[in-house]
Amino acid sequence: MHRDFKADLENKMYKNKDAISSMIPYEYEGVHYALDLNAGPLLRSYILSAVIAYHERDNKILFEDILATRNLDDVSDDKSTSSHEQVRNFIIEDSYMTSQIAKNYHEWDNNIHDDELSKTTEQLFTLAMTRLYTSFKAAVILLNNGFFLEVNPVFRMILEQLGWAAYLLQEKNIDNIKKNRVQHNINHLKTLLNDKRLGELYGYLSGKSHLEPSEINSYAAVNNDNQTVMIRDRSGKISEEITVILFSLLESYAKIVWLGLKHFGFRNVERQYFEDWYNCHLLLIKYLRKILQGTPFFDIFTRI
């Protein structure tokens, strides 16, 4: 059966339908709410008008009258969302598509293998790579809400799962696979992707995840005026800065999946379909790279 990736893309086969990770938190006049990143100016205006009407309920000012005074330019996309939020949404979409590519390859391949090792490694590889999208989604939810410390263990988990996948593509002994410890696989990932900086990234994330003493300065500061310690539990600025780490992980995710597909072969599926997916991914990466280039950590955690 001939499959056309472009047609499947246009038919929204790879459209992420779980919008929880695209919800952006807002606060207006003491009222907290969340809207989808793609919510239009009119919807935003309706929400703000409803908040004002709630506060003015004792004065009996009507919602319709408030809405009539609103200027949609004040709640335009440019003024209501940031470029980093848009980037994170693109990352979610691409990570979902990548997970579904791994899943579809496995289902369409009819599971025909020459030996038990190939069968086992493909099944384990598919499980890990299909499930990994959820970790990207969790990371974006944390970043959208400013939880810059709590996101690091999720980043590290993504990196460990990529290391596990890389290990599966290189290990030839089933008994070794059964005894593997995923936190020991980063060297396999570095080797497969020919990128030593992934080891540095893993060390960085481990320190952040364990909140070692050297990391205290990232969330605590002394107020010299009254000699008190101030705690920073959330930061939109830092979340923007470390979005580049998520971008780097997305690059590695798609590379590992593509290498996995080539490793297992295209005997019962059309190679062109999956090449078209990977080329589509590379175009998105090029676009996101232009947006993120120049942000803190870019040169450290991405390939230039």
Side-chain angles (χ1 to χ4, degrees), residues 21-293:
S21 55
S22 63
M23 299 300 291
I24 307 299
Y26 297 94
E27 186 272 333
Y28 183 69
E29 297 289 334
V31 176
H32 296 265
Y33 60 97
L35 287 174
D36 187 272
L37 181 69
N38 297 314
L42 185 59
L43 177 57
R44 298 188 194 113
S45 187
Y46 268 65
I47 296 296
L48 296 182
S49 298
V51 172
I52 296 172
Y54 169 75
H55 284 305
E56 296 291 342
R57 61 190 182 281
D58 292 339
N59 298 325
K60 298 181 179 180
I61 299 178
L62 298 178
F63 166 81
E64 290 79 4
D65 294 337
I66 297 171
L67 182 63
T69 67
R70 304 295 302 179
N71 186 343
L72 294 184
D73 289 339
D74 294 336
V75 285
S76 64
D77 292 343
D78 290 341
K79 293 182 179 179
S80 301
T81 62
S82 71
S83 60
H84 286 80
E85 289 168 344
Q86 295 285 353
V87 165
R88 293 195 287 263
N89 194 52
F90 280 122
I91 289 174
I92 283 294
E93 294 293 334
D94 194 58
S95 66
Y96 175 75
M97 182 164 62
T98 301
S99 73
Q100 294 307 294
I101 284 291
K103 173 177 175 288
N104 287 340
Y105 170 87
H106 178 72
E107 292 180 352
W108 299 344
D109 186 48
N110 297 321
N111 300 312
I112 298 175
H113 297 278
D114 295 329
D115 53 65
E116 187 64 24
L117 174 65
S118 179
K119 178 181 178 180
T120 300
T121 53
E122 192 204 325
Q123 289 176 340
L124 292 173
F125 180 89
T126 301
L127 286 172
M129 295 299 92
T130 301
R131 176 65 175 73
L132 195 55
Y133 148 71
T134 309
S135 299
F136 277 88
K137 181 167 60 177
V140 168
I141 292 172
L142 289 168
L143 289 172
N144 284 345
N145 284 275
F147 293 114
F148 65 99
L149 282 176
E150 286 71 17
V151 74
N152 290 303
V154 180
F155 283 162
R156 190 179 66 163
M157 181 170 64
I158 293 173
L159 198 56
E160 287 178 344
Q161 286 297 290
L162 294 175
W164 164 240
Y167 171 81
L168 289 171
L169 298 181
Q170 298 171 80
E171 180 56 56
K172 304 300 182 183
N173 187 294
I174 290 182
D175 290 334
N176 288 341
I177 291 175
K178 292 178 180 178
K179 294 183 292 185
N180 181 261
R181 302 291 297 275
V182 295
Q183 62 268 39
H184 297 159
N185 293 328
I186 298 304
N187 283 334
H188 294 280
L189 184 63
K190 288 163 51 180
T191 299
L192 193 62
L193 297 186
N194 190 29
D195 190 350
K196 295 180 180 180
R197 282 179 289 186
L198 291 172
E200 298 173 10
L201 176 58
Y202 188 69
Y204 171 86
L205 293 175
S206 294
K208 295 291 184 180
S209 299
H210 296 306
L211 286 183
E212 295 171 348
S214 60
E215 299 300 331
I216 292 175
N217 288 338
S218 65
Y219 66 86
V222 175
N223 186 328
N224 293 322
D225 292 336
N226 55 19
Q227 292 301 303
T228 59
V229 176
M230 301 170 58
I231 302 299
R232 177 169 49 186
D233 56 356
R234 296 200 294 167
S235 172
K237 181 178 184 297
I238 297 178
S239 293
E240 287 189 351
E241 292 174 353
I242 61 178
T243 293
V244 73
I245 299 179
L246 193 66
F247 169 74
S248 180
L249 294 172
L250 176 70
E251 282 190 289
S252 298
Y253 182 23
K255 287 178 182 178
I256 286 294
V257 169
W258 176 235
L259 289 174
L261 302 189
K262 292 197 295 184
H263 173 83
F264 296 117
F266 299 94
R267 290 172 299 180
N268 303 297
V269 293
E270 297 178 59
R271 180 188 177 104
Q272 188 60 53
Y273 184 95
F274 297 96
E275 282 191 353
D276 289 345
W277 154 70
Y278 192 58
N279 288 332
C280 177
H281 160 79
L282 292 177
L283 286 174
L284 177 63
I285 288 296
K286 184 178 181 180
Y287 169 71
L288 296 182
R289 186 183 298 278
K290 289 182 179 179
I291 297 176
L292 289 174
Q293 199 155 16

